[in-house]
Amino acid sequence: MTAGCVAIATADYDDPRWQPQKLPVDDEVHVMRDWLCARTLGRRRFTPLHPHLADNPTLTEISYALRDSEPHARWREADAAVVYITGHGMVADEAHWSVLRRTVKGGHAGTAQRTGQLIAWLAESGIEHLLVIVDECYAEKLSADLVQRESTLPPGWLILPSAARDEEADSRALTTAISEFLKDVVARPYAYKPGPLLHVEEFVLGVQSRLGRTLHPLGSQHYGPHPCLPHPAYTGAPENEDDDEGQEDDFGRRALMHRLILAATGPPQTLLVTGCAGSGKSAALARLTAHGGSHRVDAFVDAAGLSGTEVMARIFAALAVPSPGRRGGPPSPQEWLDAWANWRDSTSEPVTVVVDALDEAADPDRLLQDLLGRLEPPHTGHRRLRLIVGTRSPGGATPVGRALADRAEALLHAERVRLDEPPYFRRDDVAACARAILLGDQNSPYAEQQPLADQVARAVAEAAGPSYLMASAVAGNLAARHLAVDPLDRTWRAVLTEDLMGVVRDDLRRIFPDSGDRLVAVELLRAVAYAYGRGMPWRGIWPVVANALSPGSPSRLYGDEEIAWLLASRAGAYLTTDQEDGVTLYRLFHDALREMITEHWRELVGEAPDRRD
């Protein structure tokens, strides 16, 4: 797979009627390249392509690079690409246009670049994984050009307009928001879903909270890990390792990744991946899903908060299978299964489908019994499905029937991989995870003290057990401090004895030194913690729930201002988003936080302050 990034940037304009001041497009391009083309990304690194397009390109130059280039230089289906467009934008003929140096007002048809046409050129290449960022005025007007095309775009496309269809973009606002989000990912990797790739929903939420306005992504992928969003804090396989089966990242897990790759490339079967909260299940499945190497995942679904039919809809979308039509309402589970069976019987090649977070689905048992358990008849002689399912389990031996994981193992006739038991759990792997975080940030007090980092990482691993979530949270907390700790000091080790609660409480105290601010943040997070399923909408719901749950009679009610303040803070990383009927839904990024915040919120605050003024 080739990974390339292209910047199309215009800072100078011949027509004096355009805004006279020079736009800071060079700085914006550098922000994107510093992230996507960093050497530390290893094999996930993007290569800068067509650098002349970042310096006041002409219509001919853009067309030649993206439409009429030589055959050997064209993108193909298996490639991944990022296209970043910045400068002035305009609306004409009910469409969005990128203003170029020679663009003349009133003569846009021959002197400006119609942004929707550029998207059409990219679609003709068949490229499967694409991120397009349009950082121009009125960028959301692009949706008018895509309204008929969006449902047919290749899977794995994400198009992010920076400004609403009726507003001008603030210079550098979007790139500043992206830069601040990436800095937080590096500083607090434990607060984001693990793995080599960022998840679309976390990226969009993190950027829009710092931008101060809601983003409305277009395209075909709005959820899950995206090959065009490399995780800047993830330490991946050594660069001299070219074979997926030989990969071993700094977190260890060679045996686990070898087993997952076998499941994704071997004969059709079902593999069930289980482990306690934070055991690295999602990280491993996200890494497996990362495109490239000798294997391929055809569909990945994070089932958290989704109904069974919503899971099926996402599988169908990823495989480009037509959804079953039905008048008067959504398709029934049986209609989904019938459509699936028809498609399965028409294909000769096996497909690999990964469904994570079965236990966090809206109704895990119905999803399991009505759909996943019936995707492929157990005794058929023409199996087409490699199904890999991730779910939480309490660990250890449990009587069949007591745990969801046991029921899934029996119903799916699955081979089971337990991540919190040998050979897939090794304490050294957890220590390696902590060590990578302690050494990964140049501002960390351990950055130049590897022997000390090794000692601290071992202490963290002893306390964390099989929980990578716990180890990542503690290591991120320590790396964000100004001074390194003594590995034998009882003060910081006392935090470890309190499990994840102590780490989150300490993190909130560092984010919100003022106890009144901390109370506001915890009460707003507590409201979201009660939102089961896909999450809670902001407008008209989140503030109402927060006020209803707030003890006493506050002198000031929570509203949009407080929620915007929370999302703009580093505590916004404790949330992830989903979409339903065009409405953004918010929920906690990990289910392990739910009980902590709902039942022990007073301990997180630590005091009983008044609300902030």
Side-chain angles (χ1 to χ4, degrees), residues 182-201:
L182 295 172
K183 288 178 181 177
D184 192 54
V185 173
V186 171
R188 300 191 307 147
Y190 60 89
Y192 298 88
K193 292 179 180 178
L197 304 172
L198 296 169
H199 285 234
V200 173
E201 63 271 25

PDB file of all heavy atoms in Angstrom, residues 182-201:
ATOM      1  N   LEU A 182      -3.694  16.693  18.710  1.00  0.00           N
ATOM      2  CA  LEU A 182      -2.601  15.733  18.602  1.00  0.00           C
ATOM      3  C   LEU A 182      -1.650  15.828  19.791  1.00  0.00           C
ATOM      4  O   LEU A 182      -1.144  14.813  20.270  1.00  0.00           O
ATOM      5  CB  LEU A 182      -1.837  15.959  17.295  1.00  0.00           C
ATOM      6  CG  LEU A 182      -2.633  15.692  16.010  1.00  0.00           C
ATOM      7  CD1 LEU A 182      -1.825  16.131  14.799  1.00  0.00           C
ATOM      8  CD2 LEU A 182      -3.005  14.220  15.888  1.00  0.00           C
ATOM      9  N   LYS A 183      -1.426  17.038  20.295  1.00  0.00           N
ATOM     10  CA  LYS A 183      -0.580  17.200  21.482  1.00  0.00           C
ATOM     11  C   LYS A 183      -1.196  16.500  22.685  1.00  0.00           C
ATOM     12  O   LYS A 183      -0.494  15.893  23.498  1.00  0.00           O
ATOM     13  CB  LYS A 183      -0.371  18.690  21.782  1.00  0.00           C
ATOM     14  CG  LYS A 183       0.535  19.411  20.799  1.00  0.00           C
ATOM     15  CD  LYS A 183       0.653  20.890  21.134  1.00  0.00           C
ATOM     16  CE  LYS A 183       1.537  21.617  20.133  1.00  0.00           C
ATOM     17  NZ  LYS A 183       1.596  23.081  20.423  1.00  0.00           N
ATOM     18  N   ASP A 184      -2.525  16.562  22.795  1.00  0.00           N
ATOM     19  CA  ASP A 184      -3.189  15.896  23.910  1.00  0.00           C
ATOM     20  C   ASP A 184      -3.120  14.378  23.765  1.00  0.00           C
ATOM     21  O   ASP A 184      -2.976  13.655  24.750  1.00  0.00           O
ATOM     22  CB  ASP A 184      -4.648  16.346  24.004  1.00  0.00           C
ATOM     23  CG  ASP A 184      -5.303  15.912  25.302  1.00  0.00           C
ATOM     24  OD1 ASP A 184      -4.743  16.225  26.379  1.00  0.00           O
ATOM     25  OD2 ASP A 184      -6.356  15.253  25.258  1.00  0.00           O
ATOM     26  N   VAL A 185      -3.213  13.885  22.529  1.00  0.00           N
ATOM     27  CA  VAL A 185      -3.087  12.444  22.300  1.00  0.00           C
ATOM     28  C   VAL A 185      -1.714  11.960  22.756  1.00  0.00           C
ATOM     29  O   VAL A 185      -1.592  10.890  23.371  1.00  0.00           O
ATOM     30  CB  VAL A 185      -3.300  12.113  20.807  1.00  0.00           C
ATOM     31  CG1 VAL A 185      -2.995  10.647  20.526  1.00  0.00           C
ATOM     32  CG2 VAL A 185      -4.739  12.416  20.396  1.00  0.00           C
ATOM     33  N   VAL A 186      -0.681  12.735  22.472  1.00  0.00           N
ATOM     34  CA  VAL A 186       0.672  12.365  22.882  1.00  0.00           C
ATOM     35  C   VAL A 186       0.814  12.448  24.398  1.00  0.00           C
ATOM     36  O   VAL A 186       1.422  11.581  25.026  1.00  0.00           O
ATOM     37  CB  VAL A 186       1.709  13.270  22.187  1.00  0.00           C
ATOM     38  CG1 VAL A 186       3.104  13.047  22.759  1.00  0.00           C
ATOM     39  CG2 VAL A 186       1.709  13.012  20.686  1.00  0.00           C
ATOM     40  N   ALA A 187       0.225  13.494  25.003  1.00  0.00           N
ATOM     41  CA  ALA A 187       0.359  13.688  26.449  1.00  0.00           C
ATOM     42  C   ALA A 187      -0.459  12.687  27.247  1.00  0.00           C
ATOM     43  O   ALA A 187      -0.058  12.265  28.336  1.00  0.00           O
ATOM     44  CB  ALA A 187      -0.053  15.115  26.824  1.00  0.00           C
ATOM     45  N   ARG A 188      -1.623  12.291  26.708  1.00  0.00           N
ATOM     46  CA  ARG A 188      -2.505  11.395  27.457  1.00  0.00           C
ATOM     47  C   ARG A 188      -3.017  10.275  26.550  1.00  0.00           C
ATOM     48  O   ARG A 188      -4.222  10.183  26.280  1.00  0.00           O
ATOM     49  CB  ARG A 188      -3.682  12.169  28.041  1.00  0.00           C
ATOM     50  CG  ARG A 188      -3.291  13.280  29.002  1.00  0.00           C
ATOM     51  CD  ARG A 188      -4.492  13.817  29.728  1.00  0.00           C
ATOM     52  NE  ARG A 188      -5.539  14.199  28.807  1.00  0.00           N
ATOM     53  CZ  ARG A 188      -6.852  14.096  29.079  1.00  0.00           C
ATOM     54  NH1 ARG A 188      -7.257  13.582  30.201  1.00  0.00           N
ATOM     55  NH2 ARG A 188      -7.763  14.501  28.202  1.00  0.00           N
ATOM     56  N   PRO A 189      -2.143   9.396  26.098  1.00  0.00           N
ATOM     57  CA  PRO A 189      -2.597   8.339  25.182  1.00  0.00           C
ATOM     58  C   PRO A 189      -3.625   7.413  25.799  1.00  0.00           C
ATOM     59  O   PRO A 189      -4.437   6.823  25.091  1.00  0.00           O
ATOM     60  CB  PRO A 189      -1.294   7.598  24.838  1.00  0.00           C
ATOM     61  CG  PRO A 189      -0.359   7.911  25.958  1.00  0.00           C
ATOM     62  CD  PRO A 189      -0.703   9.304  26.387  1.00  0.00           C
ATOM     63  N   TYR A 190      -3.619   7.285  27.127  1.00  0.00           N
ATOM     64  CA  TYR A 190      -4.568   6.399  27.790  1.00  0.00           C
ATOM     65  C   TYR A 190      -6.002   6.895  27.672  1.00  0.00           C
ATOM     66  O   TYR A 190      -6.954   6.126  27.860  1.00  0.00           O
ATOM     67  CB  TYR A 190      -4.217   6.261  29.275  1.00  0.00           C
ATOM     68  CG  TYR A 190      -4.249   7.563  30.032  1.00  0.00           C
ATOM     69  CD1 TYR A 190      -5.412   8.026  30.632  1.00  0.00           C
ATOM     70  CD2 TYR A 190      -3.106   8.349  30.135  1.00  0.00           C
ATOM     71  CE1 TYR A 190      -5.444   9.231  31.313  1.00  0.00           C
ATOM     72  CE2 TYR A 190      -3.126   9.553  30.819  1.00  0.00           C
ATOM     73  CZ  TYR A 190      -4.291   9.983  31.405  1.00  0.00           C
ATOM     74  OH  TYR A 190      -4.315  11.183  32.078  1.00  0.00           O
ATOM     75  N   ALA A 191      -6.191   8.177  27.378  1.00  0.00           N
ATOM     76  CA  ALA A 191      -7.544   8.740  27.296  1.00  0.00           C
ATOM     77  C   ALA A 191      -8.166   8.544  25.914  1.00  0.00           C
ATOM     78  O   ALA A 191      -9.281   9.012  25.683  1.00  0.00           O
ATOM     79  CB  ALA A 191      -7.509  10.226  27.638  1.00  0.00           C
ATOM     80  N   TYR A 192      -7.462   7.857  25.029  1.00  0.00           N
ATOM     81  CA  TYR A 192      -7.975   7.613  23.690  1.00  0.00           C
ATOM     82  C   TYR A 192      -7.914   6.120  23.391  1.00  0.00           C
ATOM     83  O   TYR A 192      -7.148   5.384  24.008  1.00  0.00           O
ATOM     84  CB  TYR A 192      -7.159   8.393  22.644  1.00  0.00           C
ATOM     85  CG  TYR A 192      -7.231   9.886  22.846  1.00  0.00           C
ATOM     86  CD1 TYR A 192      -6.339  10.541  23.693  1.00  0.00           C
ATOM     87  CD2 TYR A 192      -8.221  10.635  22.235  1.00  0.00           C
ATOM     88  CE1 TYR A 192      -6.414  11.902  23.906  1.00  0.00           C
ATOM     89  CE2 TYR A 192      -8.309  11.999  22.431  1.00  0.00           C
ATOM     90  CZ  TYR A 192      -7.405  12.633  23.274  1.00  0.00           C
ATOM     91  OH  TYR A 192      -7.500  13.982  23.491  1.00  0.00           O
ATOM     92  N   LYS A 193      -8.712   5.692  22.418  1.00  0.00           N
ATOM     93  CA  LYS A 193      -8.711   4.279  22.065  1.00  0.00           C
ATOM     94  C   LYS A 193      -7.317   3.897  21.575  1.00  0.00           C
ATOM     95  O   LYS A 193      -6.712   4.604  20.782  1.00  0.00           O
ATOM     96  CB  LYS A 193      -9.758   4.005  20.987  1.00  0.00           C
ATOM     97  CG  LYS A 193     -11.182   4.179  21.501  1.00  0.00           C
ATOM     98  CD  LYS A 193     -12.211   3.936  20.416  1.00  0.00           C
ATOM     99  CE  LYS A 193     -13.623   4.120  20.979  1.00  0.00           C
ATOM    100  NZ  LYS A 193     -14.664   3.948  19.943  1.00  0.00           N
ATOM    101  N   PRO A 194      -6.812   2.759  22.056  1.00  0.00           N
ATOM    102  CA  PRO A 194      -5.445   2.378  21.714  1.00  0.00           C
ATOM    103  C   PRO A 194      -5.351   1.806  20.307  1.00  0.00           C
ATOM    104  O   PRO A 194      -6.350   1.469  19.679  1.00  0.00           O
ATOM    105  CB  PRO A 194      -5.121   1.304  22.761  1.00  0.00           C
ATOM    106  CG  PRO A 194      -6.454   0.683  23.070  1.00  0.00           C
ATOM    107  CD  PRO A 194      -7.466   1.807  22.973  1.00  0.00           C
ATOM    108  N   GLY A 195      -4.126   1.706  19.836  1.00  0.00           N
ATOM    109  CA  GLY A 195      -3.895   1.116  18.522  1.00  0.00           C
ATOM    110  C   GLY A 195      -3.081   2.034  17.641  1.00  0.00           C
ATOM    111  O   GLY A 195      -2.816   3.193  17.985  1.00  0.00           O
ATOM    112  N   PRO A 196      -2.686   1.569  16.476  1.00  0.00           N
ATOM    113  CA  PRO A 196      -1.830   2.366  15.590  1.00  0.00           C
ATOM    114  C   PRO A 196      -2.560   3.488  14.883  1.00  0.00           C
ATOM    115  O   PRO A 196      -1.925   4.375  14.321  1.00  0.00           O
ATOM    116  CB  PRO A 196      -1.332   1.319  14.580  1.00  0.00           C
ATOM    117  CG  PRO A 196      -2.404   0.280  14.568  1.00  0.00           C
ATOM    118  CD  PRO A 196      -2.933   0.210  15.961  1.00  0.00           C
ATOM    119  N   LEU A 197      -3.900   3.454  14.895  1.00  0.00           N
ATOM    120  CA  LEU A 197      -4.684   4.448  14.169  1.00  0.00           C
ATOM    121  C   LEU A 197      -5.672   5.136  15.100  1.00  0.00           C
ATOM    122  O   LEU A 197      -6.240   4.499  15.999  1.00  0.00           O
ATOM    123  CB  LEU A 197      -5.455   3.782  13.023  1.00  0.00           C
ATOM    124  CG  LEU A 197      -4.617   2.996  12.008  1.00  0.00           C
ATOM    125  CD1 LEU A 197      -5.529   2.242  11.047  1.00  0.00           C
ATOM    126  CD2 LEU A 197      -3.675   3.919  11.253  1.00  0.00           C
ATOM    127  N   LEU A 198      -5.879   6.421  14.901  1.00  0.00           N
ATOM    128  CA  LEU A 198      -6.921   7.138  15.621  1.00  0.00           C
ATOM    129  C   LEU A 198      -8.280   6.742  15.069  1.00  0.00           C
ATOM    130  O   LEU A 198      -8.417   6.412  13.892  1.00  0.00           O
ATOM    131  CB  LEU A 198      -6.728   8.652  15.468  1.00  0.00           C
ATOM    132  CG  LEU A 198      -5.442   9.245  16.063  1.00  0.00           C
ATOM    133  CD1 LEU A 198      -5.264  10.678  15.603  1.00  0.00           C
ATOM    134  CD2 LEU A 198      -5.454   9.160  17.581  1.00  0.00           C
ATOM    135  N   HIS A 199      -9.302   6.786  15.932  1.00  0.00           N
ATOM    136  CA  HIS A 199     -10.657   6.493  15.496  1.00  0.00           C
ATOM    137  C   HIS A 199     -11.314   7.780  15.000  1.00  0.00           C
ATOM    138  O   HIS A 199     -11.124   8.853  15.571  1.00  0.00           O
ATOM    139  CB  HIS A 199     -11.469   5.896  16.643  1.00  0.00           C
ATOM    140  CG  HIS A 199     -11.108   4.471  16.934  1.00  0.00           C
ATOM    141  ND1 HIS A 199     -12.033   3.457  16.969  1.00  0.00           N
ATOM    142  CD2 HIS A 199      -9.906   3.879  17.176  1.00  0.00           C
ATOM    143  CE1 HIS A 199     -11.437   2.306  17.234  1.00  0.00           C
ATOM    144  NE2 HIS A 199     -10.134   2.539  17.373  1.00  0.00           N
ATOM    145  N   VAL A 200     -12.097   7.653  13.943  1.00  0.00           N
ATOM    146  CA  VAL A 200     -12.707   8.816  13.307  1.00  0.00           C
ATOM    147  C   VAL A 200     -13.511   9.626  14.314  1.00  0.00           C
ATOM    148  O   VAL A 200     -13.393  10.857  14.386  1.00  0.00           O
ATOM    149  CB  VAL A 200     -13.610   8.386  12.130  1.00  0.00           C
ATOM    150  CG1 VAL A 200     -14.382   9.586  11.581  1.00  0.00           C
ATOM    151  CG2 VAL A 200     -12.786   7.749  11.025  1.00  0.00           C
ATOM    152  N   GLU A 201     -14.355   8.950  15.113  1.00  0.00           N
ATOM    153  CA  GLU A 201     -15.229   9.675  16.027  1.00  0.00           C
ATOM    154  C   GLU A 201     -14.440  10.442  17.078  1.00  0.00           C
ATOM    155  O   GLU A 201     -14.815  11.557  17.461  1.00  0.00           O
ATOM    156  CB  GLU A 201     -16.231   8.721  16.689  1.00  0.00           C
ATOM    157  CG  GLU A 201     -15.637   7.629  17.561  1.00  0.00           C
ATOM    158  CD  GLU A 201     -15.293   6.355  16.794  1.00  0.00           C
ATOM    159  OE1 GLU A 201     -15.065   6.442  15.565  1.00  0.00           O
ATOM    160  OE2 GLU A 201     -15.231   5.294  17.420  1.00  0.00           O
TER     161      GLU A 201
END
